[in-house]
Amino acid sequence: MSTRIPRRLAAALLLVPLALPLAACGSDDADDDEGEGGGAGGETTLTVLAAASLTDVFEVAGALYEEASPGVTVRFSFAGSQELAAQVTQGVPADVLVTADTETMAGVEGETGEPTVIARNELTIVTPPGNPAGIDAIDDLADPAINLVLAAPEVPAGRYGREILDRAGVDARPDSEEPNVRAVLGKVQLGEADAGLVYVTDAASAGDDVLTVPIPEEQNTVAEYPAATLDGADSPDEAAAFVEWLNGAEAQALLNDAGFLAP
């Protein structure tokens, strides 16, 4: 049966998180003012490429890290993991990479330090409020009358979703394939799709904007989120410190509150 997942981290989000675009941290003026790894005043800008499903919790995490690390500004670029990997191989300046799967991280192993898994996640079915299509189980997604949206196959969430459908023996054909899991969630929230497969944490972030239909554990899959420093980091020491902090008690509690599973 359908169940609601309540909105989480509502209080923490009042910290007014910062999620500045990656382009903002690559200007020549910024390099002149700060120099490599920080400026004369000890200021350091840490650029983190992170999977789209980490958006809400990492915005809060970044604010907390800045409070605990005077002189450090954390800037995020959120996208599908495959897009982030492409940015790394293209030499986009950044310090840390966090993907939603180990496969994508392994694809850029020549560009990173040793990855460490900071969290895990599972998938769920989401529907618009009221569940107008009456979806009660994964089998219902095979109905051709249902407008189904999935992440694209090259996106971790899209690959996981297809693994779940195959495991359940469900022949479901998506009506659209999105570049990241947040785009899937957005279509369901807007009522442009009857159902989608997203991470449990994405459903939680949407609150009452969606209903969820849980996927049985034996049909579900577990996503692992590895984090690693980038070899071309302007601030390698601070990058390593941030990855270490993600594995610490404060960040782990935050991830747990957002619905992520322990590493």
Side-chain angles (χ1 to χ4, degrees), residues 163-177:
E163 289 175 2
I164 290 170
L165 292 168
D166 289 345
R167 190 175 298 122
V170 176
D171 183 16
R173 309 295 175 89
D175 293 275
S176 68
E177 297 179 333

Side-chain angles (χ1 to χ4, degrees), residues 103-246:
E103 182 177 323
T104 300
M105 182 67 77
V108 292
E109 63 180 349
E111 309 281 349
T112 73
E114 185 67 26
T116 176
V117 174
I118 63 163
R120 298 183 301 149
N121 212 343
E122 292 181 320
L123 274 70
T124 188
I125 302 168
V126 287
T127 77
N131 192 3
I135 297 165
D136 291 318
I138 193 78
D139 292 351
D140 293 335
L141 300 184
D143 186 346
I146 289 175
N147 188 311
L148 175 65
V149 58
L150 300 176
E154 63 271 16
V155 182
R159 186 170 66 253
Y160 295 140
R162 286 163 179 80
E163 289 175 2
I164 290 170
L165 292 168
D166 289 345
R167 190 175 298 122
V170 176
D171 183 16
R173 309 295 175 89
D175 293 275
S176 68
E177 297 179 333
E178 301 303 316
N180 59 67
V181 70
R182 282 306 176 98
V184 174
L185 181 67
K187 283 211 165 187
V188 176
Q189 286 179 290
L190 292 172
E192 296 177 2
D194 295 318
L197 290 175
V198 303
Y199 296 113
V200 169
T201 54
D202 291 300
S205 73
D208 292 338
D209 289 344
V210 298
L211 288 180
T212 66
V213 179
I215 300 171
E217 184 177 352
E218 64 272 15
Q219 295 176 337
N220 215 324
T221 191
V222 177
E224 293 187 332
Y225 288 69
T229 59
L230 290 170
D231 290 346
D234 284 341
S235 307
D237 291 341
E238 192 56 63
F242 182 72
V243 171
E244 182 178 1
W245 182 82
L246 288 175

Side-chain angles (χ1 to χ4, degrees), residues 7-20:
R7 185 182 300 275
R8 307 191 184 203
L9 298 180
L13 286 169
L14 294 178
L15 292 173
V16 190
L18 299 175
L20 301 180

